[in-house]
Amino acid sequence: MRKQMILVLAGLLSLVLAACGGQAQQAPTTAPAQPATTAPEQPTAAPPASPAPTAAPAATSAPAGGTPAQPAAGGLIERILARGTLICGVNNNPLPGFSSVDAAGVRAGFDVDFCRAIAAALFDDPNKVEYRPLSAQERFTALQTGEIDVLIRNSTWTLGRDGNLGLDWAPTTFYDGQGMMVRKDSGINTLEDMNGATICVQTGTTTELNLADQFRARGLTFTPVVFPDGDATRAAYDAGQCDGFTTDKSGLVSSLTLLSNPADHKILEVTMSKEPLGPAVKQGDPQWFDAVRWIVFATFQAEEYGITSKNVDEFLKSDVPEIRRFLGIEGDLAKGIGLPNDFAVRIIRHVGNYAEIYDRNLGPNTPFNLPRGLNALYTNGGLLYSPPFR
Amino acid sequence: MAAGSPPLPSGKVTIPFYRDTRIIAIIVQIVFAIAVAALLWYLYSNMMNGLRQANLLPTFAFLSVPSGFPIAESVIPYDPSMTYGRAFVVGILNTVRVAGIGIILATILGLILGIARLSDNWLLRNVALVYVEIVRNVPLLLQLIFWFSLTRLFPRIQESIDVGGLLFLHNRGVTLAWPQAANDFDVWMVWVYGGIVVGIVYYVVRRIQFARRDRPGVALPQALLIAFGIALIGFFTTYFAYGSWPVSLSIPELQRFNFVGGITVTNSFAALLVGLVIYTAVFIGEIVRSGILAVSKGQREAARALGLTPGQTMRLVILPQALRVIIPPLTSQYLNLTKNSSLAVAVAYPDLFYVANTINNQTGQAVPVILMLMASYLSVSLLTSLFMNWYNRRIQLVER
Ligand SMILES: N[C@@H](CCC(=O)N[C@@H](CS)C(=O)NCC(=O)O)C(=O)O
């Protein structure tokens, strides 16, 4: 009997460990260079056009492509730099447009590009990322245990997660809402038509909670079919085992392309929730949290200034003070967040500004062709707004 | 130390304590205990530190907070407005449900398999052999996914395969007509309880008689027959007295999305149950086979010589003896089945492990949830062991 107890314990322990370990061994490779990005690496410390070399503050004079200003001793930034790669938690099942692996084994997508932007800011090399594929259920544990540095896996920022899970959310990179997909021939047009329906949903998500709330609020009943894994959820819906399939609208648009017959399905008008998706970090390292925040802001700000990966070199010659500060030619603003002064340049050069990231993955030339909607700059009626870089 | 030995003539030779094995043994044990305690303390404080930093100090307060998440199937009423504690209980009951039914079916199938493996019939013997070799060499998880995928091949619910209007097969499971309490159900229940009481009284009285006479006898079948008979009489009496049957058949009816009425066994439950039963039955079959082979050949020959038929030989002579060898390893298989049911998540069946993971994910309370999870599996396993050990002692040879 004692043996049995030990067996139970060992079994549970290994399951728990497996849950934390995710599929670490599956894709520990840093992705090879993405063809889309433009300029090759350059030493960036001293921008060519700066008349007075105030640009390089004492600490950035470290070796080219090298150590940033002042990462707090023992902080996560220091550890990431010492390790030489950023560990970024991403989707484990393909979510085309956000994170998926192509036939050549290159991981790409909207979320992935933000992992690359962080690596670019830290290392001046967007490829120094180790991706950890995580299911919805595993993701927060991986972050809490420090197995990943940052989680960029279409994760919704909520009060409960922010507070009770010991996490912190960087600015939202994608404003989304939950939607519902049904078969066209089902005659369903609104949620009210779905009383008594069976609905496929993924566990460990805000989705499963919103679904219950929305149906309860409308006095409707439903049977949930709940999977831990995105692929299984979609496959069950595809096979007709569910009448509806619900997740973030972006996820629905993306999943639609993976169904056996996309033309048979439609996404209902209704938006069931607010789903602000953005990078999350573990609570307790303010400098790292700040760094991730400002890396995201830099992509917004670059779009606002119209700086792209193509024209960034022209802008380096600019003598507009705002732009010179943003690009790190003047001042030593980034010191406080432990990043090199030219981190914005590194991000723009290697990954691009927000518009470039968006268009590359979700824009008109992709199968998704998602309108920017709320994800436009505030100047265009959207919600993207960066605090000033000064 | 030298207490037992006679006093030595000249000067007492005392062994220094550090060479006295008994003292050394005690010291070593104390040091070891301190080291283990220190290690545990270190791990504990390390964990608490980390959790404090992350603002995740363990608490069980979440148990009384509404869970907000739906669970696909439940033995007791449940909806998302109920608490996390309730959700956890739903998980336990779902695990017990699949494990309980699984153990019964796996035992029956295993018994058949074990006997078939020893059959004189070439075909039967070899079919059983092939079954055993295939099933025990494929990982259980793969088999579960296989059964689950198989359910996709059934038609959509609107085009269900209709078996006599009473049973419907579709890709969400099996829906079948099911008895349902009607108006006069309570009246009939009085008869049923009455039957049970009379049956028990009869059984106890007979056993006492047997004990007085010190002779073995059989009382259980008669007792069951009496209880059943009374219930049956009540069934018809109720009908004649009130004009309607106390139990009616609820016939499933296809509504817009799902069947209403009858009961539906979900494809998740079915896939998990079938997977666990088929897998565990193989191991039980091998245990049964070895148990039968452990009964000496002379027993069989003697039974046959006394004129017992092969069936009687098996039932009355071989199996009762084989059981003594079979029970202990069988217990392990029962525990394995219960623990293996934690793979349920792969087929979307909301068992304990699955529900606990969701709770953990929503509340961030990993430590309390995992402690509860371990305690639950441990309790279920220990209860199974206790029962099986009791049964094992009961059937052991009573030496006279
Ligand atoms: N935004 C929601 C849902 C995120 C989510 O997990 N979405 C699913 C469906 S779009 C997904 O990414 N599945 C892919 C996978 O399991 O790897 C949340 O943060 O809880």
Side-chain angles (χ1 to χ4, degrees), chain B residues 187-192 194-195 198 224-242 244-246:
Chain B
V187 179
W188 180 50
M189 280 323 269
V190 174
W191 285 87
V192 172
V198 174
L224 286 176
L225 208 67
I226 290 174
F228 187 75
I230 293 179
L232 203 67
I233 293 170
F235 194 75
F236 287 103
T237 317
T238 320
Y239 175 69
F240 289 121
Y242 295 89
S244 69
W245 296 108

Side-chain angles (χ1 to χ4, degrees), chain B residues 86-108:
Chain B
R86 177 90 172 189
F88 196 85
V89 174
V90 169
I92 294 182
L93 293 179
N94 277 344
T95 289
V96 169
R97 173 160 87 119
V98 74
I101 301 178
I103 283 174
I104 293 170
L105 294 183
T107 309
I108 297 171

